[in-house]
Amino acid sequence: MANADNWQGDLLRSLRADGGGDGAGDGGSDSAPGKEPSASNPVGNPVEAPTPAPPHAPPQTPPHPAPSPPRTPDSRPVADPSLTAATHRPRHGEHIAARAARTLRRTVSSSAAREVAATTATAETLQQPVTTGRQIAVTSIRGGAGKSTVAALLGMAYAHYRQDPVLLVEADPALGSLPSRLGAESVRWTTGDLAGIVEPQMSLLDVTGYLVQLPGNAWLLPGSQGQIGAMLDTAAYERVMVSLRRYFGVTVVDCETLPAEVARVALSASQARVLTAPATLEGVTSTRAVLEWMQGLPRHMITGTVVALTELVPHSGIDLDKAAGRLADTGATVRVLPYDRHLAAGGPIRTDRLAHATREAAALLAADAFRLSQQRR
């Protein structure tokens, strides 16, 4: 019989005895039948599935180190100081008697007015504005033809007459003489060096930091530091020229002698070409052969070429008028650069020491090349 004092407990035990088999009652366990709640979950609450571990992350690749800045080469003198001290005072291009005779002729004749008019016309041509930088390549078919001398004279003429910057590039790394002819005292960076440095975002001020400054608004990019073994490939040349042409109104390129690969690339990429040839029978004959070969190329190659027929000795032993006419028959323009004692002596070119005829011929040669470059876009 149930205890009246504990009737609630008896009723609860009776209910558990009746419904303990199905576990559906309010007081039944939530655990599965036949299983006891584990010690870690004594009340029988559902156990949450463990959070899966994140997938194995690939190892972090360390960032590539920034490229090291190019090594700054040492500055080297263009000429041996001991040899420079041994040189004599620069000679004038023409004898004093010839200068006196020319002055007298100008005084007693009317040629002075014609000379001024011709000089003015040449200056107007050289001062024409450009929309894009003009490249003029200077080359020859053999050494000793005066190639670097002609390139230096062209660069000096453009720097004298033009207001925009002028660049002279030495694309002949085989101990070229262009820095010496231009009067540079030392060189540091070369064309090959600049190929790995120049970037499109550089300013003119950035670029000129790697160049040699010349008198006037002219700059020089040497081809070597006067050492044997310097090399310049076509890829490096093209990179430098494409990057630099927008900074300079006129660029004069002193190329290797033909048929070197860089020279051929420079000739095809330039808007005008100057082919130097010695005023000798052999020089005229071989130059004529090159011009005939150029006739088989696109027409602008021959029509955009000026032949500089250079007199290397006082009396060349050849009729210059006939030789020039023979070369002009191919379609090229021909200019004669007369013998000049100052140029023949070598070393830095001083325009005040040049013969009057040399200055006139150099200005006309520069005007012809620039005019032809303007015809080619």
Side-chain angles (χ1 to χ4, degrees):
M1 179 176 177
N3 188 350
D5 294 333
N6 196 18
W7 63 272
Q8 293 175 335
D10 294 338
L11 178 61
L12 182 58
R13 282 192 293 271
S14 176
L15 290 173
R16 286 179 176 175
D18 294 338
D22 55 20
D26 291 341
S29 172
D30 291 335
S31 57
K35 292 187 178 180
E36 294 291 357
S38 64
S40 61
N41 187 24
V43 296
N45 292 332
V47 179
E48 296 182 358
T51 304
H56 182 65
Q60 295 292 329
T61 304
H64 293 289
S68 58
R71 182 186 66 85
T72 302
D74 297 328
S75 178
R76 292 179 176 271
V78 172
D80 188 336
S82 61
L83 296 178
T84 303
T87 56
H88 298 290
R89 183 172 179 267
R91 301 179 67 187
H92 199 282
E94 59 185 341
H95 196 273
I96 186 171
R99 283 177 277 162
R102 179 172 52 82
T103 302
L104 181 61
R105 286 195 303 270
R106 292 185 60 189
T107 304
V108 300
S109 67
S110 60
S111 61
R114 292 194 301 269
E115 183 179 318
V116 170
T119 302
T120 302
T122 301
E124 289 177 351
T125 300
L126 291 171
Q127 292 170 351
Q128 290 294 315
V130 297
T131 54
T132 57
R134 304 287 90 187
Q135 294 181 12
I136 299 173
V138 183
T139 188
S140 63
I141 58 175
R142 63 180 64 186
K147 172 177 61 68
S148 296
T149 298
V150 169
L153 290 172
L154 291 177
M156 290 177 173
Y158 295 131
H160 175 74
Y161 286 102
R162 300 191 61 80
Q163 297 297 320
D164 45 13
V166 174
L167 176 64
L168 292 101
V169 176
E170 187 179 40
D172 183 2
L175 300 179
S177 60
L178 185 62
S180 174
R181 295 304 250 168
L182 292 170
E185 296 182 356
S186 61
V187 296
R188 185 187 299 272
W189 301 95
T190 66
T191 307
D193 295 330
L194 198 58
I197 298 173
V198 66
E199 296 291 344
Q201 68 272 16
M202 283 184 170
S203 66
L204 176 61
L205 184 61
D206 296 330
V207 170
T208 55
Y210 297 99
L211 308 177
V212 179
Q213 187 169 10
L214 302 171
N217 203 19
W219 304 85
L220 166 68
L221 179 58
S224 70
Q225 290 187 328
Q227 295 176 318
I228 297 176
M231 298 298 293
L232 178 66
D233 56 31
T234 56
Y237 172 81
E238 291 174 343
R239 176 175 173 81
V240 169
M241 297 307 297
V242 170
S243 301
L244 295 186
R245 68 175 293 179
R246 64 189 181 97
Y247 300 105
F248 300 92
V250 180
T251 299
V252 178
V253 184
D254 182 11
C255 303
E256 297 176 289
T257 55
L258 290 171
E261 185 176 6
V262 173
R264 288 186 281 113
V265 171
L267 290 178
S268 62
S270 299
Q271 287 80 34
R273 289 147 292 282
V274 176
L275 182 61
T276 59
T280 61
L281 179 60
E282 297 81 3
V284 173
T285 302
S286 55
T287 301
R288 167 81 186 196
V290 172
L291 294 175
E292 290 176 348
W293 167 75
M294 293 177 67
Q295 287 179 317
L297 303 176
R299 180 164 176 76
H300 72 269
M301 291 294 292
I302 189 70
T303 57
T305 297
V306 184
V307 177
L309 196 57
T310 59
E311 280 193 290
L312 304 179
V313 293
H315 305 288
S316 58
I318 188 173
D319 189 323
L320 293 178
D321 292 335
K322 290 184 178 180
R326 179 66 174 159
L327 297 176
D329 288 343
T330 61
T333 304
V334 182
R335 287 288 178 186
V336 176
L337 187 65
Y339 172 77
D340 188 287
R341 298 191 308 172
H342 177 62
L343 294 180
I349 297 175
R350 289 178 48 181
T351 55
D352 61 320
R353 309 295 288 178
L354 292 174
H356 177 76
T358 304
R359 289 198 299 269
E360 278 191 338
L364 290 172
L365 178 62
D368 286 340
F370 182 75
R371 175 177 52 81
L372 294 176
S373 74
Q374 289 283 67
Q375 298 173 3
R376 180 70 180 171
R377 300 299 176 185

